[in-house]
Amino acid sequence: MKRTYITQMPDKAGAFLRASRIIAEVGGNITRVSYNKAVDVHMLFIEVSADAEQLDTISERLNEIGCMMNDRAPGQTILVEFRLPNVTSAMLPVLELIDSFHFNITYISAQENDTDFLNIKIGLYIQDPGKTKEFLDSAANLCALKILNYDKSQKILDNTVFYLSFANQVSSTLRLGRDATDLLIADSNRIMQHLDERNEAPYKTFSYIGRFAEMLHSFEGSAFCAKVHRRSLANGFTLHMIEPPCGSNTYILEKNAHLLFIDCGFACFKAEMLEILHGLFPDFDAMEKSIVLTHPDIDHCGLLSLFERVYVSEDGRLNFAFENNSLPDFREQNKLHAPYCRISKLLTKYTPPDMDTLRLIERTREKEDAPVSPLGTLYFQGLTLDVFEGNGGHAKGEVVLVDEKNRLVYSGDIVVNIRGFSKEQAAFNALAPYLMTSVNLDSALATEERVYLQNKFSPKAYTYCCGHGALLEPAT
């Protein structure tokens, strides 16, 4: 098994040598090292492969030599603008005050502006946030000042404790515990390392992850601006569609007090979704309900705990078996996708479904050598749904449902309606392609799937119920 140690090393070369000796003595194997002075001059990430007992011993010994950062409080970083007379030594009283509080200066910028005053911006890392007010009160007696907001993707305000400040901000926003915060730091570093190899600016990584967390938080409660649609189908069926600001669409077929869901969105919006569902179906808790997953990405399967029957393909079942056994799922087996996927699970409070609830979509048709091939059939209250499986271009375990009676195609993410995104969906869906480098496991195969599916079921004749975005209706 592997574990990532997040270490604080004032002398990178010497400290890394000591840490390496400890790991070798215990019998561990270093599989990854990451250090980027432009981001954090002290933070060093060491990934080690060993058995559980060896990993625990390594933790203890690294802690003994003061390398582990686990017990260090994250503190906070603030940016203050001081308005000083443009005269000799005017800056000294401010610097002396900062020194008396033992704050670290992480950023400083000053320039003349053709007036009698000099505006100086100073970034401060404050280990004990409780001292912030006392410092600002004292500074206000020296000169006029103001606290500035700042964009971390544009200004490097803290290059000694950046990871801690970044993780503290995200953890505070989403109320994460200490263990979750450490995992967030480690996987954020992995994404940065991958993107750094592509010559991407490292701070853009943290800006995007920060936006991911902020957007999840911003849609909580009454701000969950989901669009809800209803359509009458043949033979007394009703189709309901819930289109959330982020996460997958949820489709619900209703007849005779029975419900069949197709996908169900992020786990973190369970309360918001339940409020909508109870509004649509007052007897929701007592109703018979099942769900079919178009694929096992977590933005499509966060609410599986609500269902006693979850229909999946064989690869979908295997994906959840990996997760239930604490093994990397199919996405996480891709090194470019793994860090983002783990962060997404962490921030959206995802848990894998109980394996006892899974129902395999049985193969009743001969597999074809095609990007999308027949798999089997599902029946719901007299309605026939033809099931096709994709070739894994977007995600392993993906299926498509076709309702020939009503000319509907439930395509999952093989076809998404990008032009039909709301402003919120467009902003949120722009994050994953950057942080994962691509939302597809194999973009060439994904393109083949989409083209083949739309040739087989023409958008001129079928309505596409896409994984994201509005319904894709035939042109009239």
Side-chain angles (χ1 to χ4, degrees):
M1 61 187 299
K2 292 182 180 180
R3 182 180 301 174
T4 297
Y5 297 96
I6 307 170
T7 65
Q8 291 277 86
M9 297 194 173
D11 174 4
K12 177 173 71 81
F16 181 45
L17 177 60
R18 292 195 298 274
S20 299
R21 284 172 175 164
I22 287 173
I23 292 166
E25 289 169 4
V26 177
N29 179 41
I30 296 176
T31 57
R32 187 181 75 93
V33 177
S34 177
Y35 174 80
N36 190 324
K37 187 174 183 178
V39 176
D40 193 310
V41 299
H42 293 313
M43 194 77 76
L44 175 68
F45 295 80
I46 308 173
E47 183 180 83
V48 178
S49 176
D51 63 36
E53 183 177 351
Q54 289 171 316
L55 292 173
D56 289 340
T57 301
I58 291 170
S59 295
E60 293 173 3
R61 293 191 57 183
L62 290 179
N63 194 55
E64 288 172 1
I65 65 171
C67 284
M68 300 294 285
M69 75 137 215
N70 297 338
D71 296 326
R72 180 170 179 176
Q76 68 179 20
T77 302
I78 63 172
L79 180 64
V80 185
E81 183 178 83
F82 299 89
R83 184 173 172 81
L84 299 169
N86 191 8
V87 297
T88 303
S89 302
M91 199 181 301
L92 282 177
V94 172
L95 297 178
E96 289 169 351
L97 179 65
I98 293 170
D99 183 67
S100 71
F101 276 83
H102 305 292
F103 294 164
N104 291 325
I105 294 177
T106 60
Y107 170 83
I108 189 165
S109 176
Q111 61 182 13
E112 294 179 330
N113 55 11
D114 297 324
T115 71
D116 294 332
F117 291 91
L118 179 70
N119 291 333
I120 176 170
K121 299 174 184 177
I122 300 180
L124 298 172
Y125 177 70
I126 302 173
Q127 186 69 35
D128 181 2
K131 294 182 178 180
T132 304
K133 184 179 185 302
E134 181 185 354
F135 167 78
L136 293 175
D137 288 343
S138 299
N141 291 325
L142 297 176
C143 62
L145 57 85
K146 59 183 177 181
I147 307 297
L148 301 177
N149 293 324
Y150 62 92
D151 181 353
K152 287 181 180 173
S153 68
Q154 299 298 320
K155 293 185 176 68
I156 301 175
L157 302 182
D158 184 4
N159 70 340
T160 59
V161 286
F162 179 81
Y163 286 107
L164 295 173
S165 299
F166 159 76
N168 185 49
Q169 179 183 7
V170 173
S171 299
S172 176
T173 298
L174 296 179
R175 301 173 291 280
L176 303 180
R178 179 71 220 187
D179 290 344
T181 300
D182 286 348
L183 293 173
L184 171 64
I185 293 172
D187 277 321
S188 297
N189 167 259
R190 287 188 179 92
I191 294 176
M192 186 211 71
Q193 192 173 22
H194 292 322
L195 294 174
D196 186 52
E197 292 172 358
R198 298 168 55 202
N199 297 317
E200 294 279 1
Y203 276 83
K204 192 173 179 181
T205 301
F206 302 103
S207 176
Y208 270 54
I209 296 172
R211 278 189 234 168
F212 185 102
E214 289 164 7
M215 291 187 76
L216 289 176
H217 177 66
S218 71
F219 296 134
E220 291 178 349
S222 60
F224 189 70
C225 48
K227 299 177 182 178
V228 182
H229 312 281
R230 178 180 181 275
R231 174 177 293 195
S232 296
L233 303 180
N235 300 328
F237 284 89
T238 301
L239 173 63
H240 303 269
M241 173 184 173
I242 302 173
E243 189 183 342
C246 61
S248 77
N249 293 338
T250 296
Y251 299 96
I252 311 164
L253 289 165
E254 176 193 12
K255 187 176 182 182
N256 299 332
H258 287 69
L259 303 176
L260 178 66
F261 283 64
I262 300 166
D263 296 338
C264 59
F266 278 130
C268 58
F269 297 120
K270 181 177 180 179
E272 291 81 358
M273 286 290 289
L274 282 174
E275 182 176 354
I276 293 173
L277 293 172
H278 283 108
L280 291 174
F281 315 109
D283 296 326
F284 177 75
D285 293 335
M287 297 177 77
E288 287 286 330
K289 43 190 175 286
S290 304
I291 185 169
V292 186
L293 287 182
T294 61
H295 60 290
D297 280 350
I298 67 164
D299 58 333
H300 290 251
C301 56
L303 306 181
L304 296 185
S305 61
L306 299 178
F307 304 94
E308 294 183 0
R309 291 176 299 280
V310 179
Y311 290 95
V312 294
S313 67
E314 175 58 35
D315 278 339
R317 186 202 65 77
L318 183 56
N319 186 87
F320 293 129
F322 287 143
E323 292 180 345
N324 274 280
N325 285 281
S326 301
L327 297 171
D329 63 25
F330 284 124
R331 282 277 184 197
E332 293 167 5
Q333 290 171 24
N334 181 314
K335 71 174 184 177
L336 297 178
H337 291 194
Y340 172 81
C341 292
R342 288 191 293 261
I343 288 175
S344 296
K345 288 179 178 180
L346 186 71
L347 299 188
T348 65
K349 301 177 175 61
Y350 170 81
T351 55
D354 186 332
M355 294 296 290
D356 290 339
T357 66
L358 302 185
R359 302 290 185 273
L360 192 63
I361 301 173
E362 294 186 13
R363 176 173 296 281
T364 58
R365 305 183 193 178
E366 185 176 348
K367 185 174 177 61
E368 298 176 358
D369 183 18
V372 179
S373 61
L375 174 61
T377 306
L378 290 176
Y379 302 97
F380 172 67
Q381 296 295 301
L383 178 67
T384 299
L385 294 170
D386 295 320
V387 185
F388 297 78
E389 63 179 341
N391 60 14
H394 175 69
K396 291 204 70 170
E398 60 196 358
V399 299
V400 174
L401 308 175
V402 178
D403 173 3
E404 282 287 358
K405 180 73 174 180
N406 295 285
R407 293 279 176 162
L408 296 173
V409 178
Y410 300 93
S411 64
D413 286 358
I414 292 177
V415 178
V416 297
N417 186 3
I418 296 176
R419 293 183 179 179
F421 284 176
S422 66
K423 180 180 178 181
E424 296 83 3
Q425 290 167 342
F428 187 83
N429 289 337
L431 302 177
Y434 176 79
L435 293 171
M436 297 170 68
T437 68
S438 170
V439 296
N440 300 313
L441 287 177
D442 187 319
S443 292
L445 293 180
T447 298
E448 289 180 3
E449 288 178 325
R450 183 178 67 256
V451 171
Y452 183 88
L453 186 67
Q454 292 185 310
N455 283 336
K456 188 175 183 66
F457 304 103
S458 172
K460 295 180 180 179
Y462 291 81
T463 294
Y464 273 72
C465 301
C466 304
H468 300 267
L471 294 175
L472 195 58
E473 304 269 15
T476 55

